[in-house]
Every structure is written in C-alpha cells, then in structure tokens.
Amino acid sequence: MKSVADLIGASLEVCAPQPPLDVALPEAVGCILAEDVVAPFDLPFADSAGLDGFAVRAEDVAGASSATPVELKVLSTVLAGSVEHVRLVRGGAVAIASGAPMPAGANAVVPVEATDRGQVRVQVKAAVRAGENVRPRAQDVEAGSVVLAAGERVGGRQVALLAGVGRLRVSVHPRPRVVIVSIGDELMEPGRPAVPGKVFDANVHALSTAARDAGAETFRVSAVPDERGNLMDLLRDQLVRADLVVTTGGLSYGEGDTVKDVLSPLGTVRFDFVAMDPCRQIGIGTIGETALFALPGDPVAAQIAFEVFVRPALRKMAGWAELYRPTVTGRVTRGWNSPAGKMEFVRVRLTGDPTAGYLAEPQGEPGARLISALARSNALAVVPESKTVVRAGDRLPCFVLDDA
C-alpha cells in the first residue's frame, strides 16, 4: 500500500509543463507566461498631461486664484497622439488633452475646470506646483525592464499591459487538454427520468468543472459501459486530442470492471492501493505521450482524489509554480474516529479569519460518502495516518477548496 505522499510524487512525475507556444493575446488569457516580457520603450514615452487642461509654467500662475485670476495667451492646442513640437514661452499656455505630450518649457497642467476655458486668452483661477498633473516619462514602464515575468498568469489586466508595450503575441504554456471518461454500465446522463438500477453520472460533470478550474481545456465523454472492446476503442480515439485522460470507475474486482485489463497493454499505468480515506485505489501512468489517472467511481472519492493527485499535476502541466491549494489550521467543532493507518480527508466548512483563527465544522458523518456534504464544504481537513481519534478542539491542517 502506497502513502499519499508517494502517489502525489508519482502523479507529478508523469506530468510535465506544456511546451511553450506563441499565441495571440486573446488565446493567452488564462495561461501562464513562458517568457519574461521586456518593455521595448518607456511608457509614457514622454512627459504627458495627466488630465485635460492647459499646460503652463507653474511660476506664471503662482498667485492665481478665483479672486485674482491670471490671464495667459493660448498659443496652441496639443491632442493625445500629437507629434508636433510645441514650445511654451513666458506668459503663455497651451490647451492640452489628457495623455498628450507636454510642450517644451511647460512644467504643470492647470485643470480645465480651474479656468474660464478661453480659446485665445485664458484666465487661470488656481495656482499649480511644478510637476502637478504631469505624468513623467517612464512613470509606468521603463524601457528594458521586465514588465511581466515567466510564470505569471495572463488575465485582463496583464493583457492591457502587454498591449500597452506593443505585444500582439506572447509565449505561454497552453492549457492542458483533458478528457474525462466515466466507466460503468449503471451510469446515465442527468436530465433524463430516473430509472431503477441506474445512477446519474455526476463524475464527468464534476471533474470537468474541476479540471477547468485548474486551468485545463476539458472534453467530456458520455459514460462508457464496462466492456473491453468499447473502452479500448474509446481510449484510443480520445488520445489524439488529450494531454491527460482521467477515468472514473471500473477499479473494483467485480467481473465487469475492465479498466486494468484495458490499460495494461496500452501503456505504463500502475494501479496501487493508497493509505487514504476516501479512495482505496488509484491508477497513474502514461499511454504514449498522454498522462492518465484512473480514479474510483464513487463521486466523493473521485473528487477528493482529483484534488489530492490530479489537480497539482494539472497545475504543473499548465506551468503554475504554486501547485497546491492554500492551507490553514482549523479547530474542529466535534470529534470522530479516524481509520488507522490512513490519511483521512474530511469535508469541513471553515469559518473565521487569520486573526481570530478558524473553526472547522465537519459536514455529515466523516466516514460517510455524501455528495451533499461535499457540496456544503469549503475545505478538507487532513487527519494524519497516526491519529485514530479526533476530538473537539483538535487543530488540523485544512486545504481550502474555495473562498466561500
């Protein structure tokens, strides 16, 4: 029987970061940068106006106020994007748009609302200091600096920066393509009337969602019966579009469970019993260049096994440096008996904050596999293998599933 730590190591070994790919900005969103992005120029490229108004010499309007306005001659108008070279002289002003380059000789901008908006001569009703309402050259980005480092995730804010420094394309680790396959004669798609002897396939939907949350592009496959030929054909068909295949079900020793028989001749998938609850057994390996995880069919065990083993591997494939969920220490509100020799993952709801500490309230009976209890949870409390009795008030590490 393998430890959880051993199998986490094995899961990371079979998955490597996706090779860098040069993509257009829209395709980069959600991906991890595979390069340092260096600014080719200063941003702003010159001293520029921080707002609409009049570019002036601060010393010319030092005594300006509403009671004693200072009148200046309007020499020109400068708009954003202008390349005209304008020079300001003593006693003059230049009407200027926000973002426009500052005229030579000007050192401040008077807001338009602090003037009478004159077009030939303008009355300035407020004094400004040198540098006021001016964005200095390179205030935002300096030429030659790394504006985004390899390993950062590309989102909307990062796209704005990339576009702002002139990048249309960027090198990223593309999202892993993940195929989710549920196996079992008893499975049927949700949305149909319930049928005696059948169960709705929760795993394919839950694991597809979890894989997308981890940064993958996912493909769901309709449940396949426990039949060797169908399962082998399906897996071979799906390998062409998958960087990772996740199967659920078909791991017990029943006569109809065929996963091991099918996968054994196709690749290097190894099946091990794991000292963990829930989840007795898991398969990890490769088929050709494609990684594969075989998870149990029980929905609670499958989702927890995904969190423990598959999600970190997917994050590694997507290029993330941080592979694991954030962890906090929670004080449990009630006790339970934990299985000897197994690391137990218990559904809990965390409340509290970093200053006051966190309470961890178990959802449902810890040993029962209840998808309703998992849905109410926002964390998993981890009980070490050596601990068989958990008492109210005990402190356990909890990895956080969401921020709810």
Side-chain angles (χ1 to χ4, degrees):
M1 183 175 289
K2 297 288 187 179
S3 70
V4 170
D6 286 341
L7 289 185
I8 290 176
S11 69
L12 295 177
E13 285 180 8
V14 301
C15 295
Q18 295 284 84
L21 183 67
D22 186 67
V23 300
L25 289 187
E27 284 71 47
V29 174
C31 296
I32 302 299
L33 282 172
E35 63 167 320
D36 289 342
V37 178
V38 178
F41 48 76
D42 291 334
L43 189 67
F45 64 91
D47 291 351
S48 59
L51 43 71
D52 294 336
F54 290 85
V56 299
R57 297 179 350 130
E59 51 269 36
D60 286 347
V61 296
S65 68
S66 296
T68 59
V70 172
E71 187 172 273
L72 302 173
K73 183 180 179 180
V74 179
L75 304 176
S76 181
T77 298
V78 180
L79 302 177
S82 173
V83 295
E84 181 183 359
H85 294 289
V86 177
R87 177 170 289 277
L88 185 66
V89 297
R90 182 177 179 180
V94 172
I96 194 166
S98 177
M102 290 289 289
N107 61 7
V109 176
V110 177
V112 67
E113 59 268 23
T115 73
D116 67 351
R117 303 172 187 260
Q119 297 181 353
V120 178
R121 302 191 72 83
V122 62
Q123 291 195 344
V124 176
K125 303 175 183 180
V128 288
R129 302 180 307 277
E132 189 169 349
N133 302 319
V134 176
R135 295 184 65 203
R137 177 175 181 160
Q139 180 188 44
D140 197 345
V141 169
E142 185 176 353
S145 64
V146 175
V147 295
L148 290 173
E152 293 192 51
R153 180 184 181 275
V154 179
R157 299 183 300 278
Q158 290 72 31
V159 166
L161 178 54
L162 290 166
V165 298
R167 293 294 293 268
L168 180 62
R169 304 183 68 85
V170 69
S171 179
V172 299
H173 297 286
R175 288 180 288 273
R177 300 166 301 163
V178 180
V179 172
I180 313 291
V181 182
S182 287
I183 302 167
D185 297 323
E186 75 282 8
L187 299 175
M188 61 185 293
E189 187 69 12
R192 299 166 57 186
V195 176
K198 296 285 187 179
V199 296
F200 291 113
D201 185 3
N203 284 344
V204 72
H205 295 279
L207 297 181
S208 294
T209 303
R212 282 196 300 272
D213 178 64
E217 180 181 357
T218 60
F219 304 94
R220 290 187 290 109
V221 178
S222 298
V224 60
D226 273 323
E227 197 279 316
R228 289 175 176 79
N230 286 341
L231 180 55
M232 185 172 290
D233 290 343
L234 182 142
L235 289 175
R236 283 174 170 158
D237 288 344
Q238 296 302 319
L239 290 176
V240 299
R241 64 170 178 173
D243 301 304
L244 172 67
V245 173
V246 178
T247 68
T248 68
L251 291 184
S252 68
Y253 285 98
E255 215 172 271
D257 295 308
T258 59
V259 171
K260 297 173 190 175
D261 291 344
V262 168
L263 293 179
S264 295
L266 293 182
T268 62
V269 181
R270 172 173 172 169
F271 293 87
D272 288 295
F273 287 99
V274 56
M276 169 181 171
D277 188 76
C279 183
R280 293 179 60 251
Q281 192 177 186
I282 186 172
I284 300 173
T286 59
I287 301 177
E289 299 297 318
T290 303
L292 186 139
F293 288 82
L295 305 183
D298 175 79
V300 173
Q303 290 182 72
I304 292 178
F306 180 94
E307 286 291 335
V308 175
F309 303 111
V310 185
R311 190 176 191 276
L314 267 179
R315 299 265 294 184
K316 179 181 178 182
M317 294 177 74
W320 289 89
E322 180 54 61
L323 305 183
Y324 304 101
R325 296 276 196 185
T327 302
V328 300
T329 298
R331 183 163 51 86
V332 298
T333 59
R334 59 184 172 88
W336 66 89
N337 293 325
S338 187
K342 292 186 176 183
M343 181 176 289
E344 187 181 23
F345 293 82
V346 177
R347 310 165 303 264
V348 297
R349 184 155 192 87
L350 284 177
T351 55
D353 57 63
T355 302
Y358 294 94
L359 290 178
E361 181 182 359
Q363 300 298 296
E365 289 303 315
R369 299 183 179 184
L370 308 173
I371 56 175
S372 59
L374 185 59
R376 294 192 299 269
S377 304
N378 61 4
L380 295 174
V382 184
V383 185
E385 297 93 332
S386 59
K387 191 176 183 69
T388 57
V389 178
V390 178
R391 294 181 173 83
D394 284 354
R395 297 180 181 274
L396 295 175
C398 304
F399 67 84
V400 182
L401 301 178
D402 56 47
D403 299 326

